[in-house]
Amino acid sequence: MSIYHKVIGEGYPIVMLHGWTLDHQVMLHAMEPLFEKRRGWKRIYIDLPGMGKSEPNPSIHNSDDMLEAILHLLDQIIPGEPFIICGNSYGGYIARGIVSSRQNRVRGLLLIAPMIIPEFNDRVVPQQTIIKRDSNLISQLSSTDAEEFCSMGVVQGHTEWERFKDEILIPSKQTNHEFLNHIRQNGYGFSIDISSKFEHPTLVITGHQDHVVGYHDALRLIEDYPRATFAVLDMAGHNLQIEQPDVFNALVHNWLNKLESEKTFNG
């Protein structure tokens, strides 16, 4: 089965994995501006099976299978090559699985609001908080759109709404929910232990007001990543890259600069 992926640029491979029910657009919009003045990077944006343009695969029953499908794709498109991996939310969970499975090839890791604990009731999350709200904007949205936006947004302004609509809301409506529900019921969490020491440049960005995956569980990983920067952003929920783009960009630029200065980068 083919998994849709979009490749931009040439050079050192950097793989982008989106969150649950979304598609590659969320990572594309967050990451592409960072490469406008950089050369030597091959960005690989993937639609996970059952999401975006990737069809559901009947052989995928759980997250173990999802991980294997992505590993198989990477072995096809960048066989034997070292690469960098970036993951948002559920994509961050898969990214850590890739690090665990391909330790000899992964040279850097970015986790954006990563899912650490699969079961929601086992997560440590803050109460939902709204810090900034454009009531006039909210009143102009349909009741469904307003409900979706307000259930996620910590900063609820016009700019945030436009990006939320394009990168989160529209893609989530194109997802095969029946397929994803099957995975949720048959093994949303890995059956293997993916915790392992990773000694390459790592960046973990979380939202202080993220009531979906929280920030606390991610901070527990700090000893696993000796070369990591951990950031907890204020005025930021689960879509932190939309709500705090300037801080997000500064942090990711810093991480990319480190990667480019490493001997492994030959772009």
Side-chain angles (χ1 to χ4, degrees):
M1 180 209 71
S2 64
I3 295 174
Y4 177 83
H5 56 282
K6 183 184 183 84
V7 179
I8 304 175
E10 295 177 358
Y12 206 96
I14 181 165
V15 178
M16 317 286 188
L17 301 176
H18 61 79
W20 194 247
T21 77
L22 304 183
D23 67 9
H24 72 278
Q25 295 287 340
V26 69
M27 291 297 283
L28 185 93
H29 286 282
M31 299 296 291
E32 273 308 296
L34 299 157
F35 293 98
E36 282 176 3
K37 296 179 180 175
R38 292 179 188 272
R39 295 288 174 268
W41 289 99
K42 177 161 73 174
R43 288 91 71 192
I44 302 167
Y45 295 92
I46 295 172
D47 278 356
L48 296 173
M51 297 171 250
K53 295 179 182 175
S54 292
E55 293 294 318
N57 183 338
S59 69
I60 297 176
H61 301 285
N62 51 42
S63 288
D64 288 7
D65 296 339
M66 184 74 78
L67 173 60
E68 283 304 314
I70 300 305
L71 289 170
H72 181 68
L73 173 68
L74 296 181
D75 290 342
Q76 285 182 316
I77 60 178
I78 46 171
E81 289 184 60
F83 62 94
I84 310 298
I85 187 87
C86 310
N88 168 228
S89 194
Y90 178 75
Y93 190 63
I94 298 294
R96 288 178 59 227
I98 291 170
V99 169
S100 177
S101 304
R102 296 286 187 273
Q103 286 187 11
N104 59 332
R105 288 174 55 197
V106 184
R107 299 288 189 271
L109 174 66
L110 167 61
L111 300 175
I112 306 164
M115 182 184 93
I116 307 298
I117 310 288
E119 291 307 316
F120 183 81
N121 291 336
D122 296 335
R123 300 174 189 170
V124 179
V125 298
Q127 290 288 321
Q128 183 182 0
T129 311
I130 297 166
I131 294 178
K132 200 173 177 185
R133 180 187 180 103
D134 182 340
S135 299
N136 188 43
L137 165 74
I138 305 298
S139 69
Q140 291 170 15
L141 302 179
S142 73
S143 58
T144 308
D145 285 354
E147 187 179 346
E148 293 276 359
F149 185 43
C150 294
S151 72
M152 292 288 283
V154 172
V155 180
Q156 300 174 3
H158 189 77
T159 306
E160 292 78 20
W161 159 247
E162 288 297 330
R163 285 193 63 183
F164 177 83
K165 179 185 67 176
D166 293 342
E167 300 168 34
I168 312 290
L169 196 57
I170 293 172
S172 70
K173 289 178 179 174
Q174 296 164 348
T175 274
N176 188 310
H177 289 281
E178 186 182 348
F179 174 70
L180 295 194
N181 287 338
H182 179 70
I183 293 172
R184 286 297 282 260
Q185 292 160 8
N186 285 275
Y188 193 43
F190 293 129
S191 64
I192 53 171
D193 181 9
I194 58 166
S195 61
S196 58
K197 270 271 197 293
F198 181 68
E199 312 229 354
H200 295 284
T202 299
L203 173 59
V204 181
I205 313 178
T206 57
H208 210 153
Q209 288 81 29
D210 184 341
H211 65 286
V212 179
V213 300
Y215 60 88
H216 187 273
D217 297 320
L219 294 178
R220 292 177 182 170
L221 301 176
I222 199 160
E223 298 305 326
D224 288 348
Y225 303 119
R227 292 287 314 279
T229 294
F230 278 72
V232 183
L233 307 190
D234 181 37
M235 289 183 74
H238 196 51
N239 298 315
L240 60 88
Q241 76 284 0
I242 291 175
E243 295 176 327
Q244 294 299 326
D246 294 346
V247 188
F248 174 82
N249 290 350
L251 287 164
V252 181
H253 272 306
N254 174 266
W255 173 72
L256 288 168
N257 289 342
K258 285 181 203 170
L259 290 169
E260 289 180 1
S261 69
E262 297 276 314
K263 292 189 179 76
T264 51
F265 182 80
N266 50 21

